[in-house]
């Protein structure tokens, strides 16, 4: 049996017609990371096949494309709408500025987010099997759970992690498994900053936040990110 979008190089240029396997987003999952995971589960050679099912002519990693896909994917692909929306960022215009509405956590400049799983914690990736939305905030540079720096590039070939790589776990350049990457210990102050940040973000594990004092504790996420990025 031949399935469109799977198999030989010639077949890979024909888009699929439907999903063989339907997954649902996990707690705190990245939207573009979820697309990669969904493509993998369906044995698609390109992540772009998933957006093509929703009539997206091109696969572009940006906020506008994310918004359209979040609206289209539940009805087209059988995904749970509320869970899918939790993976995404909601962009709004305030005057001449584009901001992300974080609800009770304030309005965040779009420049403070880098969409897609372009940095990961190797151990979390191995344990949970998906990429966290929390890693997309530029101020999150370490994993407070494993006290290590997030990996941004392949340690074997040096290629930066791509937001539309065909495999969530493997380098698009050489195939190296990011789950086996060497952990670089993070400094104590960076771990504490990450603990404070992730205490205000949905992640699939408990975050220790003892010892923090005002005004840090009462700051919303948007203000906290903006402040920390000024200090880095």
């Amino acid at each position: 049996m031949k399935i469109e979008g799977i198999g030989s190089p010639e077949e890979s240029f024909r888009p699929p017609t439907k999903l063989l396997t339907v997954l649902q987003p996990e707690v705190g999952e990245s939207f573009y990371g979820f697309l990669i995971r969904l493509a993998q589960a369906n044995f698609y050679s390109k992540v772009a096949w998933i957006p093509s099912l929703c009539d997206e002519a091109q696969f572009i990693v940006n906020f506008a494309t994310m918004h359209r896909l979040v609206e289209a994917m539940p009805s087209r692909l059988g995904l749970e709408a509320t869970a899918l929306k939790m993976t995404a960022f909601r962009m709004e215009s305030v005057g001449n500025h584009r901001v992300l509405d974080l609800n009770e956590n304030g309005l965040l400049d779009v420049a403070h987010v880098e969409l897609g799983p372009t940095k990961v914690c190797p151990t979390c990736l191995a344990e949970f099997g998906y990429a966290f939305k929390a890693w997309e905030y530029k101020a999150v540079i370490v994993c407070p759970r494993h006290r290590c720096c997030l990996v941004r590039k392949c340690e074997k070939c040096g290629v930066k992690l791509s937001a539309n790589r065909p495999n969530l776990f493997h380098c698009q350049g050489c195939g190296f498994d990011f789950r086996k990457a060497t952990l670089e210990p993070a400094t104590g102050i960076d771990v504490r900053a990450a603990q404070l940040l992730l205490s205000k973000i949905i992640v699939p594990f408990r975050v220790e936040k003892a010892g923090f004092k005002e005004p840090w504790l009462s700051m919303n996420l948007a203000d906290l990110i903006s402040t920390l990025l000024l200090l880095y």
Side-chain angles (χ1 to χ4, degrees):
M1 179 179 69
K2 291 185 177 182
I3 302 172
E4 291 186 350
I6 306 174
S8 68
E10 292 76 15
E11 289 176 319
S12 68
F13 287 95
R14 301 206 309 269
T17 57
K18 64 178 181 179
L19 291 180
L20 298 176
T21 302
V22 176
L23 303 178
Q24 299 297 341
E26 299 289 348
V27 174
E29 186 166 12
S30 153
F31 175 77
Y32 281 104
F34 174 64
L35 290 191
I36 296 174
R37 196 165 64 87
L38 193 58
Q40 281 182 243
N42 285 275
F43 303 100
Y44 294 155
S45 58
K46 299 179 180 180
V47 184
W49 293 151
I50 301 297
S52 76
L53 293 173
C54 300
D55 299 326
E56 285 288 328
Q58 293 181 308
F59 178 54
I60 303 174
V61 179
N62 61 27
F63 293 101
T65 299
M66 179 172 59
H67 174 75
R68 291 194 301 270
L69 289 174
V70 166
E71 294 298 317
M73 287 173 67
S75 59
R76 292 292 190 91
L77 306 182
L79 302 178
E80 209 284 315
T82 301
L84 190 63
K85 287 181 179 179
M86 292 292 288
T87 69
F89 292 95
R90 188 169 72 253
M91 186 177 67
E92 296 183 357
S93 294
V94 177
N96 295 324
H97 300 282
R98 294 190 306 162
V99 297
L100 303 174
D101 187 351
L102 305 181
N103 299 316
E104 69 277 3
N105 270 311
L107 299 175
L108 181 67
D109 193 304
V110 295
H112 295 340
V113 166
E114 183 175 6
L115 289 177
T118 58
K119 58 183 189 287
V120 301
C121 167
T123 308
C124 283
L125 192 61
E127 181 178 347
F128 292 96
Y130 62 92
F132 300 160
K133 181 180 179 180
W135 295 337
E136 297 180 306
Y137 293 102
K138 290 184 178 179
V140 179
I141 60 175
V142 307
C143 173
R145 192 162 181 260
H146 299 105
R147 297 178 175 269
C148 66
C149 297
L150 297 182
V151 171
R152 298 172 179 270
K153 63 181 181 179
C154 176
E155 69 177 51
K156 185 175 181 180
C157 71
V159 170
K160 291 182 179 180
L161 275 65
S162 171
N164 65 349
R165 59 185 182 273
N167 190 292
L168 186 63
F169 307 120
H170 297 279
C171 174
Q172 68 273 16
C174 68
F176 176 75
D177 192 333
F178 298 128
R179 294 168 294 186
K180 298 178 180 179
T182 303
L183 300 185
E184 179 185 347
T187 64
I189 191 169
D190 284 341
V191 169
R192 287 178 60 79
Q195 287 174 332
L196 184 57
L197 283 167
L198 266 64
S199 71
K200 300 175 183 290
I201 302 173
I202 296 176
V203 288
F205 53 84
R206 182 177 178 275
V207 179
E208 177 61 48
K209 59 177 180 179
F212 291 103
K213 300 179 180 180
E214 297 296 348
W216 299 102
L217 285 176
S218 60
M219 292 176 70
N220 65 38
L221 180 60
D223 290 341
L224 182 59
I225 287 174
S226 299
T227 301
L228 288 174
L229 286 175
L230 288 174
L231 297 176
Y232 286 159

